[in-house]
Amino acid sequence: MLTDANPFIYSHPIAPDDVIDRDAETEQLLASAVGGHFVRLYAPRKYGKTSLLRRVLRDAERRERMIPILVDLYGVLSVADVAIRFERAYARQLKGKTRARIEEFLQTTGLGLSLGALGISARLQVEPRTDPLPALHALLDLPLRLEEGGAFRALVVLDEFQDITRVEGMDALLRSHIQFQGEVASFVFAGSEPGLMRELFEVRERPLYGQAVPMRLGRLGDADIAAYVADRFRESGRSVGEAANPLAAAAKGHPQRAMLLAHRLWQEVPAGGTADLGHWSRAHAAALAELAAEFDAGWRHLSTNEQKAIRSLAATGGSPFQTRVLEGLGLAKSSARSALVALQASAIVERDGDRYALTDPLFCEWIAGLRGAGGLGEGDV
Ligand SMILES: Nc1ncnc2c1ncn2[C@@H]1O[C@H](COP(=O)(O)OP(=O)(O)O)[C@@H](O)[C@H]1O
Ligand SMILES: [Mg+2]
């Protein structure tokens, strides 16, 4: 190896071959895509949705001759935003003859659409009063045109899909197109806000009600994390030694937190060295320090009742309705209940039967540290 580069990436989606242990999910998504079923994929943020979906798109193209399209809807606020995202997605991903054919079609619409540098966003800049809706209609119909080129079908992934709830009527508009595309395209709707995803797909009155099979992405197994970390250490001339188990235990299966901890650990260990528990505790502390500002902002963003419900959850190890604890915090049981509903809707808290847990294991540690740090103690909670 020429450079001694840290092999653990934690700040952006990872390459398809670096994805740990999502083989079953990959196969399931591919089978659905080939079969023409629509899937909604849910997982909290940073669980590896985008990484997994990129792998599925790669395999769908290689193995099934599908045309892969990934549209990132993060932060869209208007019809124009959505149109630009779709256009840029096609611009990035179409190749060869298909690309030429689609570009020719887009040019003939006269709507300012193009796969080149000057597409609909340029048109909207020069003529801000342009109505972006006809352009969006044309883009949403592209799967029908792709099929004319003889590809098997398109696989269209709509990532951060919950953000379309910010654009009024967008789910109805989408539905009006995709309902005629069952023969030519398969769709995956991926999202990280359980509350909004449920609202879009499980409320009877909503246009997308019942339109997609639900699939949930879970945590990674400790053994898979430990084995991956050990391999990457070895490949980069180090040994993870006795630090692998405490690392996996601290990550609690959270994919991004596992990679962040591994990145920090690797950073502590010199080339040719073996990690020990001293390296591990420095790495662990460094990871928490790196996240402190993010956690502080997240914590302040919560309502007082949500903060109390989380304190109760942390104090009881997952059973937040114990009377003594709630009394100590001055939180009524009914308030605790509704706070926990809200916390689950935004995926800060996850529920497994009657046990509750913070989704992020490091946030949980940070909260545990709060009591000792400041004047937060109420009673003996
Ligand atoms: N299966 C996995 N194997 C290894 N690392 C993963 C995996 N899934 C997620 N990660 C880690 O999580 C980070 C975020 O992944 P990403 O795909 O962007 O998640 P999401 O789209 O769910 O927010 C990646 O940078 C990587 O460090
Ligand atoms: Mg993502």
Side-chain angles (χ1 to χ4, degrees), residues 50-78:
T50 306
S51 304
L52 167 66
L53 290 166
R54 285 192 187 173
R55 173 155 122 180
V56 170
L57 287 162
R58 180 196 68 175
D59 292 353
E61 181 177 24
R62 280 192 192 165
R63 282 167 38 186
E64 311 293 346
R65 285 200 309 123
M66 298 178 86
I67 297 180
I69 303 291
L70 175 69
V71 187
D72 184 354
L73 294 167
Y74 179 80
V76 293
L77 291 173
S78 65

Short mmCIF file of all heavy atoms in Angstrom, two decimals, residues 50-78:
data_model
loop_
_atom_site.label_atom_id
_atom_site.label_comp_id
_atom_site.label_asym_id
_atom_site.label_seq_id
_atom_site.Cartn_x
_atom_site.Cartn_y
_atom_site.Cartn_z
N THR A 50 -28.46 4.08 2.04
CA THR A 50 -27.93 4.50 0.75
C THR A 50 -26.83 3.55 0.28
O THR A 50 -26.78 3.18 -0.90
CB THR A 50 -27.41 5.95 0.85
OG1 THR A 50 -28.46 6.77 1.35
CG2 THR A 50 -26.97 6.47 -0.50
N SER A 51 -25.98 3.13 1.20
CA SER A 51 -24.91 2.19 0.82
C SER A 51 -25.51 0.90 0.27
O SER A 51 -25.07 0.39 -0.77
CB SER A 51 -24.04 1.85 2.04
OG SER A 51 -23.51 3.03 2.62
N LEU A 52 -26.51 0.37 0.95
CA LEU A 52 -27.16 -0.86 0.50
C LEU A 52 -27.83 -0.65 -0.87
O LEU A 52 -27.70 -1.48 -1.77
CB LEU A 52 -28.22 -1.29 1.54
CG LEU A 52 -29.20 -2.37 1.10
CD1 LEU A 52 -28.49 -3.70 0.87
CD2 LEU A 52 -30.31 -2.55 2.15
N LEU A 53 -28.51 0.47 -1.02
CA LEU A 53 -29.25 0.71 -2.26
C LEU A 53 -28.30 0.87 -3.45
O LEU A 53 -28.59 0.42 -4.55
CB LEU A 53 -30.15 1.92 -2.11
CG LEU A 53 -31.33 1.65 -1.15
CD1 LEU A 53 -32.02 2.94 -0.74
CD2 LEU A 53 -32.33 0.68 -1.79
N ARG A 54 -27.15 1.47 -3.21
CA ARG A 54 -26.17 1.58 -4.30
C ARG A 54 -25.69 0.20 -4.71
O ARG A 54 -25.45 -0.06 -5.88
CB ARG A 54 -24.98 2.41 -3.84
CG ARG A 54 -25.30 3.87 -3.79
CD ARG A 54 -23.99 4.57 -3.63
NE ARG A 54 -24.13 5.97 -3.41
CZ ARG A 54 -23.09 6.75 -3.10
NH1 ARG A 54 -21.90 6.23 -2.98
NH2 ARG A 54 -23.28 8.03 -2.91
N ARG A 55 -25.53 -0.68 -3.73
CA ARG A 55 -25.12 -2.04 -4.07
C ARG A 55 -26.21 -2.74 -4.86
O ARG A 55 -25.93 -3.42 -5.85
CB ARG A 55 -24.80 -2.81 -2.80
CG ARG A 55 -24.54 -4.25 -3.05
CD ARG A 55 -23.68 -4.83 -1.97
NE ARG A 55 -24.36 -5.95 -1.34
CZ ARG A 55 -23.83 -6.66 -0.34
NH1 ARG A 55 -22.67 -6.33 0.16
NH2 ARG A 55 -24.48 -7.67 0.15
N VAL A 56 -27.46 -2.55 -4.43
CA VAL A 56 -28.57 -3.18 -5.15
C VAL A 56 -28.64 -2.65 -6.59
O VAL A 56 -28.83 -3.41 -7.54
CB VAL A 56 -29.90 -2.92 -4.40
CG1 VAL A 56 -31.09 -3.35 -5.24
CG2 VAL A 56 -29.89 -3.65 -3.06
N LEU A 57 -28.46 -1.35 -6.75
CA LEU A 57 -28.50 -0.76 -8.10
C LEU A 57 -27.37 -1.31 -8.96
O LEU A 57 -27.57 -1.63 -10.14
CB LEU A 57 -28.42 0.76 -8.00
CG LEU A 57 -29.69 1.44 -7.47
CD1 LEU A 57 -29.40 2.86 -6.99
CD2 LEU A 57 -30.80 1.45 -8.52
N ARG A 58 -26.19 -1.44 -8.38
CA ARG A 58 -25.07 -1.99 -9.14
C ARG A 58 -25.37 -3.42 -9.60
O ARG A 58 -25.19 -3.77 -10.76
CB ARG A 58 -23.80 -2.00 -8.27
CG ARG A 58 -22.59 -2.57 -9.00
CD ARG A 58 -21.47 -2.94 -8.07
NE ARG A 58 -21.82 -4.10 -7.23
CZ ARG A 58 -20.97 -4.68 -6.40
NH1 ARG A 58 -19.74 -4.22 -6.28
NH2 ARG A 58 -21.36 -5.72 -5.68
N ASP A 59 -25.87 -4.23 -8.66
CA ASP A 59 -26.14 -5.63 -9.01
C ASP A 59 -27.32 -5.75 -9.98
O ASP A 59 -27.34 -6.63 -10.83
CB ASP A 59 -26.42 -6.44 -7.74
CG ASP A 59 -25.17 -6.58 -6.88
OD1 ASP A 59 -24.08 -6.17 -7.34
OD2 ASP A 59 -25.26 -7.10 -5.75
N ALA A 60 -28.29 -4.86 -9.85
CA ALA A 60 -29.44 -4.91 -10.76
C ALA A 60 -28.98 -4.62 -12.19
O ALA A 60 -29.44 -5.25 -13.15
CB ALA A 60 -30.50 -3.88 -10.34
N GLU A 61 -28.02 -3.73 -12.32
CA GLU A 61 -27.50 -3.42 -13.65
C GLU A 61 -26.65 -4.58 -14.17
O GLU A 61 -26.85 -5.06 -15.28
CB GLU A 61 -26.67 -2.14 -13.59
CG GLU A 61 -26.13 -1.74 -14.96
CD GLU A 61 -25.35 -0.43 -14.93
OE1 GLU A 61 -24.83 -0.05 -13.85
OE2 GLU A 61 -25.27 0.21 -16.00
N ARG A 62 -25.73 -5.05 -13.34
CA ARG A 62 -24.82 -6.10 -13.79
C ARG A 62 -25.52 -7.41 -14.05
O ARG A 62 -25.28 -8.08 -15.05
CB ARG A 62 -23.77 -6.37 -12.70
CG ARG A 62 -22.67 -5.37 -12.68
CD ARG A 62 -21.58 -5.92 -11.77
NE ARG A 62 -20.61 -4.88 -11.49
CZ ARG A 62 -19.72 -4.96 -10.51
NH1 ARG A 62 -19.70 -6.02 -9.71
NH2 ARG A 62 -18.86 -3.99 -10.32
N ARG A 63 -26.35 -7.81 -13.11
CA ARG A 63 -26.92 -9.15 -13.19
C ARG A 63 -28.23 -9.21 -13.94
O ARG A 63 -28.57 -10.24 -14.53
CB ARG A 63 -27.12 -9.69 -11.77
CG ARG A 63 -25.84 -10.19 -11.17
CD ARG A 63 -25.90 -10.45 -9.69
NE ARG A 63 -27.15 -11.04 -9.21
CZ ARG A 63 -27.42 -11.24 -7.92
NH1 ARG A 63 -26.53 -10.89 -7.00
NH2 ARG A 63 -28.56 -11.77 -7.55
N GLU A 64 -29.00 -8.13 -13.86
CA GLU A 64 -30.37 -8.20 -14.40
C GLU A 64 -30.60 -7.26 -15.58
O GLU A 64 -31.72 -7.12 -16.06
CB GLU A 64 -31.38 -7.88 -13.29
CG GLU A 64 -31.17 -8.64 -11.99
CD GLU A 64 -31.43 -10.14 -12.14
OE1 GLU A 64 -32.03 -10.55 -13.16
OE2 GLU A 64 -31.02 -10.90 -11.24
N ARG A 65 -29.55 -6.58 -16.02
CA ARG A 65 -29.66 -5.64 -17.14
C ARG A 65 -30.72 -4.56 -16.90
O ARG A 65 -31.36 -4.07 -17.82
CB ARG A 65 -29.96 -6.37 -18.46
CG ARG A 65 -28.76 -7.12 -19.04
CD ARG A 65 -28.94 -7.40 -20.52
NE ARG A 65 -30.22 -8.03 -20.81
CZ ARG A 65 -31.13 -7.54 -21.65
NH1 ARG A 65 -30.91 -6.42 -22.28
NH2 ARG A 65 -32.26 -8.17 -21.85
N MET A 66 -30.92 -4.20 -15.65
CA MET A 66 -31.86 -3.14 -15.36
C MET A 66 -31.13 -1.79 -15.49
O MET A 66 -29.92 -1.73 -15.38
CB MET A 66 -32.44 -3.29 -13.95
CG MET A 66 -33.23 -4.58 -13.77
SD MET A 66 -33.86 -4.79 -12.09
CE MET A 66 -35.40 -3.90 -12.20
N ILE A 67 -31.91 -0.73 -15.70
CA ILE A 67 -31.30 0.60 -15.72
C ILE A 67 -31.42 1.18 -14.31
O ILE A 67 -32.52 1.34 -13.79
CB ILE A 67 -32.00 1.51 -16.73
CG1 ILE A 67 -31.82 0.93 -18.14
CG2 ILE A 67 -31.46 2.93 -16.65
CD1 ILE A 67 -32.48 1.75 -19.22
N PRO A 68 -30.26 1.46 -13.67
CA PRO A 68 -30.30 1.92 -12.28
C PRO A 68 -30.40 3.44 -12.17
O PRO A 68 -29.63 4.17 -12.80
CB PRO A 68 -28.94 1.46 -11.75
CG PRO A 68 -28.03 1.49 -12.94
CD PRO A 68 -28.88 1.28 -14.17
N ILE A 69 -31.34 3.91 -11.39
CA ILE A 69 -31.49 5.35 -11.17
C ILE A 69 -31.68 5.60 -9.68
O ILE A 69 -32.60 5.05 -9.07
CB ILE A 69 -32.73 5.91 -11.92
CG1 ILE A 69 -32.65 5.62 -13.43
CG2 ILE A 69 -32.88 7.41 -11.66
CD1 ILE A 69 -31.57 6.38 -14.16
N LEU A 70 -30.82 6.43 -9.10
CA LEU A 70 -30.95 6.80 -7.69
C LEU A 70 -31.25 8.29 -7.60
O LEU A 70 -30.47 9.12 -8.05
CB LEU A 70 -29.64 6.51 -6.96
CG LEU A 70 -29.56 6.94 -5.49
CD1 LEU A 70 -30.48 6.11 -4.60
CD2 LEU A 70 -28.13 6.83 -4.97
N VAL A 71 -32.41 8.60 -7.05
CA VAL A 71 -32.79 10.01 -6.89
C VAL A 71 -32.76 10.34 -5.40
O VAL A 71 -33.43 9.70 -4.60
CB VAL A 71 -34.23 10.26 -7.43
CG1 VAL A 71 -34.55 11.75 -7.41
CG2 VAL A 71 -34.41 9.68 -8.81
N ASP A 72 -31.97 11.36 -5.04
CA ASP A 72 -31.87 11.76 -3.64
C ASP A 72 -32.81 12.95 -3.40
O ASP A 72 -32.61 14.02 -3.96
CB ASP A 72 -30.42 12.16 -3.33
CG ASP A 72 -30.23 12.50 -1.85
OD1 ASP A 72 -31.23 12.54 -1.10
OD2 ASP A 72 -29.07 12.72 -1.46
N LEU A 73 -33.82 12.73 -2.58
CA LEU A 73 -34.82 13.79 -2.37
C LEU A 73 -34.57 14.57 -1.08
O LEU A 73 -35.43 15.33 -0.64
CB LEU A 73 -36.22 13.16 -2.37
CG LEU A 73 -36.61 12.58 -3.73
CD1 LEU A 73 -37.85 11.68 -3.61
CD2 LEU A 73 -36.87 13.68 -4.75
N TYR A 74 -33.38 14.42 -0.52
CA TYR A 74 -33.08 15.09 0.75
C TYR A 74 -33.30 16.61 0.63
O TYR A 74 -32.74 17.26 -0.24
CB TYR A 74 -31.64 14.83 1.16
CG TYR A 74 -31.28 15.52 2.45
CD1 TYR A 74 -31.66 14.98 3.67
CD2 TYR A 74 -30.60 16.74 2.44
CE1 TYR A 74 -31.35 15.62 4.85
CE2 TYR A 74 -30.30 17.39 3.63
CZ TYR A 74 -30.68 16.82 4.83
OH TYR A 74 -30.38 17.46 6.00
N GLY A 75 -34.15 17.12 1.49
CA GLY A 75 -34.30 18.58 1.58
C GLY A 75 -35.13 19.25 0.51
O GLY A 75 -35.17 20.48 0.45
N VAL A 76 -35.83 18.49 -0.33
CA VAL A 76 -36.63 19.16 -1.37
C VAL A 76 -37.78 19.95 -0.72
O VAL A 76 -38.36 19.53 0.27
CB VAL A 76 -37.23 18.17 -2.40
CG1 VAL A 76 -36.13 17.55 -3.24
CG2 VAL A 76 -38.08 17.10 -1.73
N LEU A 77 -38.07 21.11 -1.31
CA LEU A 77 -39.12 21.97 -0.75
C LEU A 77 -40.14 22.39 -1.80
O LEU A 77 -41.15 23.01 -1.47
CB LEU A 77 -38.49 23.23 -0.14
CG LEU A 77 -37.65 23.02 1.13
CD1 LEU A 77 -36.96 24.32 1.52
CD2 LEU A 77 -38.52 22.52 2.28
N SER A 78 -39.88 22.11 -3.07
CA SER A 78 -40.78 22.62 -4.11
C SER A 78 -40.79 21.67 -5.30
O SER A 78 -39.93 20.80 -5.43
CB SER A 78 -40.29 23.99 -4.58
OG SER A 78 -39.02 23.84 -5.21
#
